[in-house]
């Protein structure tokens, strides 16, 4: 039974940076494409970024392209999201999952709040 635990969120000023981590537990990390998603207050959960199992291919939502970088370290069973030049509209709870996501893998996420 795989569990995904997000961490690294917090409160930052606009223009600042955060690095989110997604650690897998319960079993060995399968060779699946992974993604980051976010949900802002009053909004539906949306796609942010995805990465192939090897880390050789990435894709980003237009809203974060050029500012966010997704990466992974399979030896550590961890996926990362480096977020730079943060904007108030990036405020949301951030989740990781397989991509396409599995409904059984949604966790608690990690809160990111960007002040203006």
């Amino acid at each position: 039974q795989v569990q995904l635990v997000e961490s690294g969120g917090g409160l930052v000023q606009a223009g600042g940076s955060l690095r989110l981590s997604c650690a897998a537990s319960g079993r060995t990390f399968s060779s699946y494409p992974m993604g980051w998603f976010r949900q802002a207050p009053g909004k539906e959960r949306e796609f942010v970024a995805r990465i192939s199992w090897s880390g050789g291919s990435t894709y980003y939502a237009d809203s974060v392209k050029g500012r966010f970088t997704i990466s992974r370290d399979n030896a550590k069973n961890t996926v990362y999201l480096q977020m730079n030049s943060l904007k108030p509209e990036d405020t949301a709870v951030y989740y990781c999952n397989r991509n396409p996501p599995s409904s059984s893998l949604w966790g608690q996420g990690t809160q990111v709040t960007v002040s203006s």
Side-chain angles (χ1 to χ4, degrees):
Q1 187 84 296
V2 174
Q3 288 185 304
L4 301 175
V5 180
E6 301 92 344
S7 63
L11 174 64
V12 298
Q13 289 187 284
S17 298
L18 283 173
R19 190 192 192 205
L20 307 184
S21 297
C22 170
S25 63
R27 58 181 285 273
T28 56
F29 201 59
S30 298
S31 297
Y32 289 103
M34 296 291 291
W36 283 96
F37 307 81
R38 67 186 183 187
Q39 186 169 24
K43 303 293 184 180
E44 294 293 308
R45 185 148 44 202
E46 66 177 352
F47 165 81
V48 175
R50 69 172 182 248
I51 187 168
S52 63
W53 79 269
S54 67
S57 180
T58 59
Y59 184 80
Y60 301 89
D62 288 343
S63 59
V64 307
K65 191 173 184 178
R67 300 187 298 119
F68 291 10
T69 303
I70 187 171
S71 62
R72 68 191 298 164
D73 186 341
N74 288 341
K76 295 182 177 180
N77 293 341
T78 303
V79 181
Y80 305 96
L81 185 68
Q82 178 66 47
M83 306 185 296
N84 298 326
S85 302
L86 284 163
K87 305 174 180 179
E89 51 262 46
D90 294 319
T91 295
V93 177
Y94 284 71
Y95 304 87
C96 64
N97 207 319
R98 293 175 179 172
N99 185 262
S102 169
S103 61
S104 66
L105 290 180
W106 294 118
Q108 294 299 307
T110 185
Q111 176 72 51
V112 171
T113 303
V114 184
S115 64
S116 59

